[in-house]
Amino acid sequence: MRDLKSRPELLSINGATVREQWNLKQLVEGCARHGISAIATWRDKVAELGLDKAARLIRDAGLKVSGHCRSSAFAAADAGSRQK
């Protein structure tokens, strides 16, 4: 197995990993700084910047988007509401 520490370009970071510490701009800057080539964004973090600005930020940093997450939890409080 290759040592991923020596090949950061093979990594993708899910924004949930640092969501309490970094906003999307900080995530993009941190990944670019460390040579990580892709991120998985989260809807709320993209919304904070706006889609166009977030897309431009990611593209200008040379990153790829490996996924886009909308929620980490159920969208309703009970089973009946979730079924709807």
Side-chain angles (χ1 to χ4, degrees), residues 26-54:
Q26 292 167 314
L27 172 63
V28 167
E29 291 170 348
C31 287
R33 182 172 55 250
H34 292 286
I36 296 167
S37 64
I39 61 173
T41 57
W42 281 75
R43 181 173 64 179
D44 61 328
K45 297 293 187 174
V46 169
E48 287 174 4
L49 280 179
L51 180 58
D52 290 339
K53 188 172 181 179

Side-chain angles (χ1 to χ4, degrees), residues 73-83:
F74 290 115
D78 58 66
S81 295
R82 286 191 294 273
Q83 284 293 351

